[in-house]
Amino acid sequence: MRAGRERCQEILDSGEGAISLDIGQRLRAVRRASKASLRSVARRTGFSASFLSQVELGQCSPSISSLQKICEALGTDLPELLTPRGARSVPVTRRSDRETFRSAWSKATAQSLATGRNLPYSALLVSIRPRGKTGQLHAPGGHFFAYCIKGRVRVALQEVPHELAAGDSIAVDQPRAAWENAGRTGAEILVLAFR
């Protein structure tokens, strides 16, 4: 417990990957709206109530996959959480309006690109630093599509690694996939997760 708290403080002190307080506030608002306690969300995710509290308070930066797991336990998804409230009903997502979640654990950032609530997919722009990885992202419909914008990324399909370079794309027919930077420079991918 103490080591985890010290690592969270180290991340905050460095300014690297600190979770936006707004994201923590959004998580808390969604949790309270669903009338879920921290302990019930902890049981559904496998995380401690203390860790979840630190995330809500903006004191700790979870991995992208951990944040997605919390969202799923609350009945929402990461792109929805990253979409500003006023932008949820407009079809255009302006670059200047996108909010970024930075994760020190993943060495990655994620931005929601699609704002419509009833879309059959979620769209994330994921930037991954060298040696970074997203952890397991979830596609409720069991399918991903990804396009590598820059750098090189690796994804394992049924334990077989596939590497994408800039301009390559891949269709993934499995409900979970972890994306990892396979190069020495930053990588950027567009990930569509189908519902």
Side-chain angles (χ1 to χ4, degrees):
M1 175 80 100
R2 182 181 167 126
R5 192 174 302 131
E6 288 172 357
R7 175 65 181 137
C8 287
Q9 190 58 51
E10 176 184 313
I11 291 165
L12 288 174
D13 290 344
S14 71
E16 173 192 20
I19 187 171
S20 156
L21 181 60
D22 187 49
I23 294 295
Q25 288 174 346
R26 288 182 193 179
L27 279 173
R28 178 174 280 173
V30 170
R31 180 179 59 78
R32 287 182 173 168
S34 67
K35 297 184 173 32
S37 68
L38 281 172
R39 291 188 194 282
S40 69
V41 176
R43 280 191 300 273
R44 285 183 245 161
T45 60
F47 300 134
S48 71
S50 173
F51 171 74
L52 294 170
S53 177
Q54 288 177 340
V55 170
E56 285 187 358
L57 294 171
Q59 297 173 343
C60 193
S61 172
S63 70
I64 292 173
S65 63
S66 294
L67 183 59
Q68 185 177 33
K69 192 172 187 178
I70 296 166
C71 289
E72 289 172 13
L74 294 172
T76 189
D77 63 17
L78 183 56
E80 180 71 18
L81 190 70
L82 293 175
T83 302
R85 290 197 192 281
R88 291 182 181 164
S89 60
V90 292
V92 176
T93 304
R94 303 281 178 213
R95 182 179 190 164
S96 60
D97 293 336
R98 291 193 313 237
E99 294 189 353
T100 301
F101 169 71
R102 289 176 175 79
S103 171
W105 300 110
S106 297
K107 295 184 180 178
T109 63
Q111 297 178 334
S112 177
L113 300 179
T115 58
R117 294 193 81 171
N118 295 320
L119 295 172
Y121 60 86
S122 60
L124 286 176
L125 178 62
V126 181
S127 301
I128 311 170
R129 294 193 320 247
R131 295 186 306 274
K133 52 185 148 187
T134 63
Q136 293 286 328
L137 297 183
H138 181 234
H143 305 286
F144 287 97
F145 173 82
Y147 175 79
C148 184
I149 298 167
K150 73 177 187 178
R152 293 181 323 166
V153 294
R154 185 178 301 122
V155 62
L157 303 181
Q158 298 174 351
E159 300 184 26
V160 177
H162 296 272
E163 194 168 297
L164 286 78
D168 293 344
S169 60
I170 189 169
V172 179
D173 291 327
Q174 61 189 40
R176 295 194 180 277
W179 306 90
E180 141 181 33
N181 186 328
R184 296 179 184 209
T185 61
E188 194 170 71
I189 55 172
L190 167 63
V191 178
L192 300 179
F194 293 89
R195 296 183 172 128

